[in-house]
Amino acid sequence: MPERAPGAAAPRRRRAGKIIAIVAIACVLVLAGLAVAGYSYFRWCQGASGPREGVPFEIPKGVSGAEVIASLNGEGVLRCNAVPRYIAQARSIGFQAGAYKLETNMTVDEALARLDEGPIVRTVSMTIPEGWRLTQTTAEAAKRLHLNEAELTRLAENGGFTVPPYLPAGKATTEGFLFPKTYEFPRDGLTEETVIERLLDQFDQEAGKLPWKNAKRLGVTAYEAVIVASLVEREAQVPSERARVAAVIYNRIARHEILGIDASNQYIDPNPDDGLTTSDLAIDSPYNLRLKENAGRLPPTPIASPGLASLRAALQPADTDEWLYVLCGSDGHHEFTASYAEFRRLKEQCL
């Protein structure tokens, strides 16, 4: 066998080593390039660009997080699919079923934060005007909120609610305490009881702004002050007269006079369509404030829901000795006096 010349294999080993080194470097460069590209893609997927437009988005019950992310990508909210899904899973974010308001071209962080806030609560508006009776309020609530009117009325009149100290325990009705306001109620999950509680809670919140310490000085309880406010609400058609009407009520009580407020008679009118008739004015009832036996007395309950201005007038009546007034003029204003002779003159002039 011929002998190999000394040093003949070294060049071949050096060439092989160079090839391996070149291949290794190439692999490193490729891997580095892939890493850079992957990182760039990862960052790009998290970002956003382009115009934003509102996207109503609904998450049905029972869908997976992956399906939610895919839908966001399909709606143009997110640039990518896999990367946001990975981020959502890493943060352990769960998606609640319901309606959301998103935009096109949101970043992943923005979209996930919006979803994490929870779905939009869909609401329905209901307006209770000042001066409405309990039955008007329950009828409107039943119509607007798709609830049972009879059950609403039963609950409101079953004596089961209190709003201390304004509506104390033992009162059979919430008349006067279903606070007039425009409300936003959720479309779903409402019950008749929660609606009544919401209106009473609103009264409690609004009433807290008023000087109830004045009630004792005026000689009435907090409940009786609400009764006075309900009379003011129904009597005073001109807002600036509320405090004077309240003063007349207190002054007539102090004089043990008949209050003569027809709004209270209207509360018990069996046929409101024909107005107050002679027979209506003779009804034997504590709400009939034209009867001599009711002189110096308030009706037993409020006759309507007073607003904040009328409640304030009942607690801060005008400082006057006027105890008579006459409705005068087409604008519904009254003329006030402390003289019976002047009252008769005004009555001839105005009526």
Side-chain angles (χ1 to χ4, degrees):
M1 175 179 289
E3 293 184 0
R4 188 173 54 193
R12 287 197 294 271
R13 285 199 297 270
R14 285 195 295 270
R15 286 195 296 272
K18 289 180 179 180
I19 292 171
I20 292 172
I22 291 170
V23 170
I25 292 170
C27 289
V28 170
L29 292 174
V30 169
L31 291 173
L34 290 173
V36 171
Y39 179 73
S40 297
Y41 179 72
F42 187 85
R43 291 295 302 274
W44 181 83
C45 280
Q46 294 181 70
S49 62
R52 292 199 173 191
E53 298 178 1
V55 177
F57 190 74
E58 186 86 22
I59 299 180
K61 290 183 179 179
V63 301
S64 68
E67 291 174 308
V68 172
I69 296 298
S71 296
L72 291 173
N73 177 231
E75 293 287 345
V77 176
L78 299 177
R79 283 175 168 176
C80 308
N81 186 348
V83 170
R85 186 167 67 246
Y86 167 78
I87 293 173
Q89 290 170 346
R91 294 184 184 180
S92 299
I93 294 176
F95 301 118
Q96 298 181 56
Y100 294 81
K101 183 66 175 178
L102 304 175
E103 292 90 37
T104 56
N105 299 306
M106 298 182 78
T107 67
V108 173
D109 284 344
E110 289 172 337
L112 294 183
R114 187 75 59 84
L115 295 179
D116 197 38
E117 290 173 359
I120 298 168
V121 178
R122 291 176 172 166
T123 63
V124 58
S125 295
M126 181 182 75
T127 299
I128 306 301
E130 296 172 342
W132 265 19
R133 297 180 182 180
L134 180 153
T135 51
Q136 292 174 292
T137 299
T138 54
E140 178 69 5
K143 180 178 72 173
R144 296 289 299 167
L145 306 176
H146 305 290
L147 295 173
N148 185 290
E149 182 179 348
E151 179 64 7
L152 279 165
T153 304
R154 185 193 71 79
L155 285 169
E157 294 181 334
N158 75 352
F161 296 97
T162 63
V163 188
Y166 324 112
L167 176 60
K171 299 300 180 183
T173 178
T174 60
E175 183 75 83
F177 295 87
L178 304 180
F179 195 78
K181 178 183 167 67
T182 296
Y183 294 85
E184 292 292 330
F185 284 97
R187 290 182 181 273
D188 304 314
L190 275 181
T191 66
E192 288 79 7
E193 186 170 8
T194 58
V195 171
I196 299 298
E197 287 175 344
R198 171 74 185 282
L199 301 183
L200 295 177
D201 286 346
Q202 191 65 40
F203 183 97
D204 195 23
Q205 291 178 36
E206 300 289 344
K209 307 171 184 176
L210 301 174
W212 291 92
K213 63 181 184 296
N214 291 357
K216 185 176 181 179
R217 176 177 59 80
L218 293 165
V220 295
T221 65
Y223 184 73
E224 289 170 334
V226 177
I227 296 176
V228 173
S230 73
L231 296 173
V232 171
E233 189 65 64
R234 297 288 294 180
E235 281 286 284
Q237 298 181 45
V238 177
S240 61
E241 293 182 357
R242 287 190 176 103
R244 293 179 78 181
V245 170
V248 167
I249 293 171
Y250 287 119
N251 290 339
R252 292 183 75 83
I253 291 173
R255 293 170 61 96
H256 203 70
E257 296 281 351
I258 294 170
L259 294 187
I261 295 177
D262 287 344
S264 186
N265 292 67
Q266 291 168 350
Y267 188 72
I268 55 169
D269 187 352
N271 185 15
D273 292 338
D274 64 357
L276 283 176
T277 64
T278 301
S279 60
D280 294 333
L281 297 177
I283 295 173
D284 184 10
S285 167
Y287 290 94
N288 186 345
L289 300 186
R290 289 201 178 198
L291 297 180
K292 289 183 178 179
E293 55 264 38
N294 293 331
R297 296 179 184 172
L298 293 167
T301 71
I303 61 169
S305 291
L308 196 61
S310 292
L311 287 166
R312 189 179 298 279
L315 293 169
Q316 295 177 312
D319 184 11
T320 175
D321 60 355
E322 296 164 338
W323 62 282
L324 296 159
Y325 59 74
V326 179
L327 182 64
C328 194
S330 58
D331 63 349
H333 83 277
H334 295 85
E335 294 292 336
F336 296 80
T337 181
S339 163
Y340 189 71
E342 177 67 6
F343 170 73
R344 294 186 65 179
R345 187 191 70 78
L346 289 170
K347 196 171 181 180
E348 289 181 6
Q349 173 187 314
C350 296
L351 301 182

